[in-house]
Amino acid sequence: MTEPMHGVGQILLQNQAHVLDAWLARLHDTAPSAQPASLQLLKLELGTLVEKLTAFFLTGEGEGDALKSVEAQAAAISAACARDGLTPMETATLILSLKAIAGDLLNRESGRGTNELDRRRAALDAVVDKLALVTFASFVETREEIIRRQGRALLDLATPALPIWRHIILMPLVGIIDTQRARQVMEWLLEALAREEAHIAILDVTGVPLIDSRVALHLTKTVEAARLLGSQVIVTGISPDAAQTLVKLDVDLSSMITRGTLRAGLAEAFRLLGQNAKGPTETML
Amino acid sequence: MIPEPDVVSVRVTTEIDVAEARQEARKLALRHGFGTVRAHGLATAVSELAMNLVLHSARGGLIRLTVQDAPEAAVIELVSEDDGPGIPDLGLAMEDGYSTRGGLGCGLPGTRRLVDAFAITSCVGAGTRIVCLVRRP
Ligand SMILES: Nc1ncnc2c1ncn2[C@@H]1O[C@H](COP(=O)(O)OP(=O)(O)OP(=O)(O)O)[C@@H](O)[C@H]1O
Ligand SMILES: [Mg+2]
């Protein structure tokens, strides 16, 4: 059982430089979209992989830490490829091309047609196939992580709470309000109300494409939560189209103050603040 | 000659699919000369039915929009179909304010008011099918 692995290990050990060179020589074909800037790093990473692979075969054990170490290295390479914008196809091809390169080497060093050769090639193929799978899983994981991070970044961007006047904050909502966004809007609004010691929050929904019963529910909950903090919420920017639709849906928005435009909302805010706010009259806006 | 129907279908399992379905619905309506209020109403109906697929049907479902467009009149058929748990009491589900999941409970009754024709069939354990028509002019 250990012999074919050990044999592969010996051959790799004596030919590490050759394997790496042959691998790199194919890079242009296997991964055409690799950027020159990232090539240098990729070369180092592939060199490490060849070393670890050699060490793994030399241990002669099918499982264990040596294999884990090889897999970890393959996963790292794959993650780097994902970040550099290589396609999953390119990344898998890159790993799988090791089969052909090392296979050629085994053919040459083992002598053709022997049982020994077959067993060695089988041992090699099994490991490289496994690495390709690891690579693929890692690639997908990295891409998903990138998407999650971008999503979070977008969320942060999309929900600023602006202190626009003493005791008044403005939160312009732009884009789709899904459950996650809605939760965040509520959280940030309440935080901002407390932080700015604001009495009034203006939620402007001009940039929200559609208000259905779910969005209405989230708005209602936000208004209620703000009320518990002693603050009032004015919702502005409901479009005429949306207003007609909301009437048909018959959602109950009576708990909140609504105004058609941000301007009217601001005027209402100043009115509510009354004499306390040394705010401007509407003509000054 | 009967014109080819314009068909859009969206598989709905998550909230992102809901957004896509209603965008498609609005584009479809505007493309066939429906006014912005009607387009908005249709998009909202789609949003309600699609969101119900996400919330109330374990494996989501399918939203399909078909337009029959003729110069003097056009009609959009909206079909929502799922193989979810079904609705045991349709009368109750169509009531304003009835919700089994803490919603406002105006999705189904509201949708009925938004469209020109509304039909719902549901079978417990087998799924729910809703067909709506929206007409132009
Ligand atoms: N596709 C479906 N499959 C199973 N049950 C459904 C489906 N659609 C609606 N229901 C049931 O009918 C009830 C009423 O639906 P409706 O859309 O009117 O309200 P909601 O979804 O609970 O809240 P809202 O739509 O106001 O956010 C739901 O609470 C749910 O129990
Ligand atoms: Mg609903």
Side-chain angles (χ1 to χ4, degrees):
Chain A
M1 186 60 224
T2 57
E3 163 30 24
M5 288 193 60
H6 206 72
V8 175
Q10 285 295 339
I11 294 173
L12 281 180
L13 185 62
Q14 281 148 28
N15 297 278
Q16 275 188 1
H18 164 77
V19 170
L20 185 58
D21 286 345
W23 208 355
L24 296 177
R26 289 182 175 217
L27 253 186
H28 194 69
D29 298 326
T30 48
S33 61
Q35 297 299 313
S38 55
L39 274 183
Q40 204 54 37
L41 209 60
L42 191 55
K43 284 176 186 170
L44 285 174
E45 301 265 37
L46 291 179
T48 309
L49 184 63
V50 173
E51 278 167 29
K52 294 198 164 173
L53 199 60
T54 308
F56 159 71
F57 278 114
L58 285 175
T59 63
E61 289 164 20
E63 305 282 325
D65 289 347
L67 179 62
K68 288 214 181 73
S69 170
V70 179
E71 288 179 354
Q73 179 66 13
I77 290 177
S78 162
C81 288
R83 278 192 292 272
D84 286 345
L86 265 68
T87 65
M89 179 93 155
E90 283 177 324
T91 310
T93 310
L94 177 68
I95 297 295
L96 286 171
S97 68
L98 185 60
K99 254 201 231 183
I101 293 162
D104 284 349
L105 185 67
L106 293 184
N107 283 348
R108 210 176 61 211
E109 302 282 321
S110 310
R112 272 169 201 286
T114 61
N115 281 341
E116 196 50 52
L117 174 61
D118 289 345
R119 285 206 300 275
R120 284 176 179 175
R121 290 207 57 146
L124 173 77
D125 287 358
V127 171
V128 177
D129 284 344
K130 188 146 189 222
L131 288 186
L133 289 180
V134 168
T135 307
F136 195 74
S138 162
F139 192 98
V140 171
E141 177 49 40
T142 306
R143 280 289 175 91
E144 275 174 1
E145 178 53 36
I146 291 172
I147 292 169
R148 274 197 293 275
R149 245 186 303 163
Q150 285 172 341
R152 280 198 296 273
L154 265 183
L155 267 181
D156 292 356
L157 264 185
T159 323
L162 314 165
I164 50 165
W165 203 267
R166 225 166 99 75
H167 301 312
I168 305 177
I169 59 169
L170 166 67
M171 211 168 187
L173 300 185
V174 177
I176 294 159
I177 309 290
D178 59 10
T179 307
Q180 197 193 1
R181 265 296 294 290
R183 199 172 295 139
Q184 203 195 24
V185 166
M186 159 126 62
E187 222 169 80
W188 288 28
L189 187 86
L190 298 180
E191 246 174 50
L193 279 172
R195 188 180 58 235
E196 308 292 339
E197 296 178 3
H199 303 322
I200 294 183
I202 300 177
L203 259 184
D204 185 69
V205 297
T206 307
V208 178
L210 189 141
I211 298 172
D212 61 7
S213 61
R214 275 286 133 177
V215 177
L217 175 71
H218 294 312
L219 286 177
T220 312
K221 282 186 176 165
T222 304
V223 170
E224 276 163 16
R227 187 167 297 149
L228 288 178
L229 291 185
S231 307
Q232 275 174 298
V233 178
I234 302 173
V235 178
T236 63
I238 295 177
S239 72
D241 287 354
Q244 293 188 51
T245 305
L246 284 170
V247 168
K248 290 220 172 119
L249 273 185
D250 199 23
V251 296
D252 182 13
L253 297 182
S254 61
S255 70
M256 59 185 89
I257 306 166
T258 58
R259 288 293 178 271
T261 62
L262 181 55
R263 187 192 174 95
L266 258 179
E268 176 64 12
F270 287 131
R271 198 189 66 73
L272 286 171
L273 284 176
Q275 300 95 339
N276 296 347
K278 306 246 174 340
T281 58
E282 206 189 342
T283 48
M284 286 172 69
L285 291 176
Chain B
M1 196 184 79
I2 300 159
E4 282 281 293
D6 194 354
V7 185
V8 175
S9 52
V10 180
R11 256 219 74 96
V12 178
T13 44
T14 65
E15 281 189 67
I16 298 173
D17 306 323
V18 177
E20 190 191 325
R22 66 175 174 239
Q23 273 160 18
E24 289 294 334
R26 175 187 263 141
K27 277 194 289 185
L28 186 80
L30 295 175
R31 184 156 80 228
H32 287 276
F34 286 67
T36 59
V37 178
R38 296 243 83 190
H40 196 95
L42 177 73
T44 307
V46 168
S47 192
E48 294 296 347
L49 299 185
M51 198 61 199
N52 279 356
L53 294 177
V54 174
L55 288 175
H56 307 303
S57 167
R59 296 196 287 132
L62 194 71
I63 293 284
R64 202 180 61 241
L65 293 148
T66 313
V67 191
Q68 292 291 354
D69 195 350
E72 66 286 3
V75 56
I76 298 180
E77 183 194 52
L78 158 61
V79 179
S80 161
E81 226 168 352
D82 66 68
D83 58 357
I87 303 174
D89 188 338
L90 278 180
L92 211 51
M94 293 305 299
E95 256 174 42
D96 274 301
Y98 176 79
S99 170
T100 52
R101 294 205 49 184
L104 292 174
C106 52
L108 288 179
T111 299
R112 173 153 68 181
R113 287 186 291 267
L114 279 169
V115 298
D116 298 313
F118 181 97
I120 180 167
T121 47
S122 190
C123 187
V124 173
T128 302
R129 183 181 152 94
I130 298 166
V131 182
C132 308
L133 299 179
V134 177
R135 296 199 170 85
R136 189 204 73 209

